């Protein structure tokens, strides 16, 4: 049962990615005024960098959020 | 007929005369492809944060005692760009970070000393990234070098990044490769040090140094779904090797014995995450994030985040946010005094235990066209506050200020 979790996650991610690709319409540059809004950026906010840093120290899971994934101590 | 000739002649002379009154200027150079080739400062970002936590499960004292800690963290980054002769854009991002922290729990490494290794320390970490991009296609590649130094820890980092954009610029693929080559001074709790390393000087507390190297790759694909919706999928496998245990953290066993924390010297991590941002109405945006994490130490975690920026005006937005994290701890964890004496690996670090946490707060963002507070160059100000509470009893608060100067 435990081994099925990673497979399920990978499969789910693949289905999610494929469904996104198949569901998307061609969006022209002049239709992107809302997508180009700074609040719509797909990266984390710059102001979140230290929040993600302390979460990295206080929780065992980390990565895949644009934050630090190695280097520097995590021992304080 | 003669009248017609005369009229044509007069018209011709009139045209010549009219043209003769115009002072001919040299044709203007084509400026459509012109780009300045000088190095230009694009923007400066200043980020400062104050963090404070308290709890009662210090790993230094085997899972009991104060976890009180404060951290004052600051970074400044300068983004500069320059076009080369081929029209490619070279972007240089220089970042300098300085953290100063005090940790009451780390002071228990050697309670007899006034100031032990991590009671208070400063970490300095500069980095430089160079990225070359083709503005027409959006494709880019770059390299990063970084360094980090604190009393007992030193890190050298290198990275490579690659961006490919589809022709319609609705799909973007990003690839990152990162390596951190770290060196950690091995510091044991006072009662576990060999007699030969005793003494009061800072250096005498170290049992030598040990490497800890981290390697990670990141694959991400972002997709515009429609004019109001876009998504991102990230997979970031990572591998760590070397001293992964914190040797000054104590572990107490069921037979009353005491040892320094010991963990495997290899760790594989696989986080998979997705983001979905939706422009719901002209005033409301919904930003969501979900991550699943797994590693070979047995940690499994789900993290979900939602942030709802509300535009109070075109230039001011208020963003309440909530983050939930649920984690199954490592198989090597046991609380104070509950480790099996026959165990090979053991930790009482509650950061690696089974837990769930809530993090909530709000941010305000000001970006008026004529500058924040009327200062033309102060392009953006963002202030965020968040409160964190963990099922193990740890609570913390963080306040962050981000200023962007252009």
């Amino acid at each position: 049962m435990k081994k099925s979790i990673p497979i399920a996650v990978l499969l789910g991610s693949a289905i999610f990615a494929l469904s996104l690709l198949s569901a998307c319409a061609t969006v022209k540059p002049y239709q992107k005024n809302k997508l180009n809004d700074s609040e719509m950026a797909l990266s984390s906010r710059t102001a979140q960098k230290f929040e993600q840093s302390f979460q990295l120290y206080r929780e065992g899971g980390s990565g895949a959020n644009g934050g630090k994934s190695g280097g520097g101590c995590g021992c304080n | 007929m003669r009248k017609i000739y005369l009229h044509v002649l007069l018209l011709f002379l009139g045209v010549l005369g009219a043209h003769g009154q115009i002072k001919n200027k040299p044709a203007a150079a084509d400026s459509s492809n012109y780009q300045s080739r000088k190095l230009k400062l694009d923007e400066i970002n200043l980020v400062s944060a104050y963090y404070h936590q308290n709890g009662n499960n210090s790993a230094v004292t085997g899972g009991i005692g104060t976890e009180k800690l404060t951290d004052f963290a600051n970074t400044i980054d300068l983004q500069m760009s320059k076009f080369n002769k081929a029209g490619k854009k070279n972007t240089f991002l220089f970042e300098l970070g300085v953290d100063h922290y005090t940790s009451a729990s780390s002071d228990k490494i050697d309670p007899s000393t006034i100031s032990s290794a991590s009671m208070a320390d400063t970490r300095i970490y500069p980095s430089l990234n160079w990225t070359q991009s083709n503005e027409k296609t959006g494709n880019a590649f770059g390299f990063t070098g970084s360094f980090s130094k604190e009393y007992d820890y030193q890190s050298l980092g290198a990275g490579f990044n690659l961006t490919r954009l589809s022709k319609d610029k609705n799909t973007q693929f990003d690839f990152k490769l990162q390596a951190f080559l770290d060196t950690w001074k091995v510091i044991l709790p006072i009662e576990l040090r060999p007699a030969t390393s005793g003494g009061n000087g800072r250096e005498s507390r170290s049992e030598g140094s040990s490497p800890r190297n981290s390697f990670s790759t990141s694959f991400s694909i972002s997709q515009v779904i429609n004019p109001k919706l876009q998504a991102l999928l990230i997979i970031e496998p990572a591998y760590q090797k070397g001293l992964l245990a914190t040797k000054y953290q104590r572990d107490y066993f069921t037979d009353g014995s005491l040892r320094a924390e010991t963990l495997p010297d290899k760790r594989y991590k696989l986080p998979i995450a997705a983001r979905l941002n939706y422009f719901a109405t002209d005033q409301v945006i919904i930003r969501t994030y979900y991550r699943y994490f797994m590693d070979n130490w047995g940690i499994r975690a789900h993290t979900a985040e939602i942030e709802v920026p509300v535009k109070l005006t075109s230039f001011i937005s208020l963003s309440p946010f909530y983050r939930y994290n649920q984690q199954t701890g490592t198989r090597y964890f046991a609380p104070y005094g509950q480790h099996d004496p026959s165990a090979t690996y053991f930790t009482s670090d509650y950061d690696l235990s089974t837990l769930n946490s809530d993090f909530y707060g709000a941010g305000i963002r000001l970006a008026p066209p004529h500058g924040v507070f009327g200062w033309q160059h102060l392009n953006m100000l963002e202030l965020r506050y968040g409160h964190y509470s963990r099922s193990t009893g740890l609570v913390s608060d963080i306040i962050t200020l981000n200023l962007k100067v252009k």
Side-chain angles (χ1 to χ4, degrees), chain A residues 2 5-7 9-10 13-14 16-17 20-21 23-29 31-76, chain B residues 47 49 51 53 69 73 75 95 125 150 153 155 169-170 178 180 182 216 222-225 227-228 230-232 234 236 248 267 269 271-273 275 277 279 282 285 287 289 291-294 305 307 309 311 317 319 323 325 327 351 357 359 365 382 384 388 390 400 402:
Chain A
K2 277 185 178 175
I5 294 172
I7 295 163
V9 170
L10 286 171
S13 307
F16 175 74
L20 286 185
L21 288 172
C24 47
T26 302
V27 178
K28 305 282 185 197
Q31 296 175 306
K32 290 186 179 173
N33 61 325
K34 285 190 162 60
L35 297 174
N36 292 334
D37 190 287
S38 54
E39 300 285 2
M40 282 289 282
L42 281 166
S43 54
S44 302
R45 290 173 182 279
T46 308
Q48 270 182 285
K49 67 194 295 180
F50 292 121
E51 291 170 11
Q52 289 171 347
S53 175
F54 95 75
Q55 286 154 5
L56 168 81
Y57 293 152
R58 296 289 77 97
E59 294 164 359
S62 64
N65 57 8
K68 189 177 97 168
S69 57
C73 187
C75 48
N76 52 11
Chain B
V47 188
Y51 171 79
Q53 75 169 39
L69 182 148
T75 59
E95 184 178 278
Y125 49 105
E150 57 199 299
Y153 208 96
S155 174
K169 299 195 175 178
N170 286 335
Q178 281 183 298
F180 293 96
D182 303 354
S216 69
S222 62
Q223 177 66 48
V224 170
I225 298 166
K228 290 181 173 183
Q230 57 187 352
L232 174 74
I234 319 166
E236 197 175 289
Y248 56 70
R267 191 176 179 194
K269 302 178 185 178
I272 299 170
R275 284 183 188 277
N277 289 357
F279 212 109
D282 285 345
I285 294 154
R287 293 165 59 89
Y289 173 78
R291 176 182 66 199
Y292 179 75
F293 174 92
M294 61 187 130
E305 215 175 281
E307 183 171 356
K311 286 178 179 285
S317 56
S319 304
R323 175 184 182 273
N325 182 65
Q327 146 180 328
D351 299 344
S357 64
F359 180 58
R365 188 174 185 278
E382 187 171 1
R384 274 168 78 88
Y388 182 80
R390 205 165 77 169
T400 312
N402 175 204

Side-chain angles (χ1 to χ4, degrees), chain B residues 201-214:
Chain B
R202 271 193 149 195
E203 295 306 319
S204 63
R205 284 197 288 267
S206 169
E207 309 300 318
S209 295
S210 185
R212 171 196 273 186
N213 299 329
S214 307

Side-chain angles (χ1 to χ4, degrees), chain B residues 130-144:
Chain B
W130 163 69
T131 294
Q132 186 175 88
S133 55
N134 182 332
E135 292 234 298
K136 284 181 188 164
T137 61
N139 296 334
F141 71 93
F143 297 92
T144 304

Side-chain angles (χ1 to χ4, degrees), chain B residues 57-64 249-252 334-337 348-350:
Chain B
N57 295 117
S58 168
V60 175
T61 39
I64 53 168
Q249 295 183 349
R250 297 170 175 88
D251 285 276
Y252 291 89
Y336 179 86
S348 290
D349 186 347
Y350 275 70

Side-chain angles (χ1 to χ4, degrees), chain B residues 104-216:
Chain B
S105 62
S106 295
D107 199 32
K108 303 285 189 255
I109 296 168
D110 180 356
S112 64
T113 58
I114 295 164
S115 176
S116 56
S118 289
M119 188 194 102
D121 204 359
T122 301
R123 182 167 79 104
I124 299 173
Y125 49 105
S127 70
L128 180 65
N129 170 266
W130 163 69
T131 294
Q132 186 175 88
S133 55
N134 182 332
E135 292 234 298
K136 284 181 188 164
T137 61
N139 296 334
F141 71 93
F143 297 92
T144 304
S146 64
F147 177 73
S148 173
K149 171 88 179 148
E150 57 199 299
Y151 167 67
D152 57 344
Y153 208 96
Q154 185 173 300
S155 174
L156 270 174
F160 170 72
N161 57 286
L162 179 75
T163 300
R164 304 291 291 178
L165 212 62
S166 66
K167 275 187 182 172
D168 62 7
K169 299 195 175 178
N170 286 335
T171 309
Q172 182 174 321
F173 172 74
D174 282 282
F175 171 72
K176 261 188 203 171
L177 196 62
Q178 281 183 298
F180 293 96
L181 308 177
D182 303 354
T183 308
W184 198 349
K185 273 184 189 172
V186 179
I187 299 170
L188 291 171
I190 179 76
E191 63 272 39
L192 295 176
R193 291 175 200 163
T196 51
S197 71
N200 294 321
R202 271 193 149 195
E203 295 306 319
S204 63
R205 284 197 288 267
S206 169
E207 309 300 318
S209 295
S210 185
R212 171 196 273 186
N213 299 329
S214 307
F215 306 93
S216 69

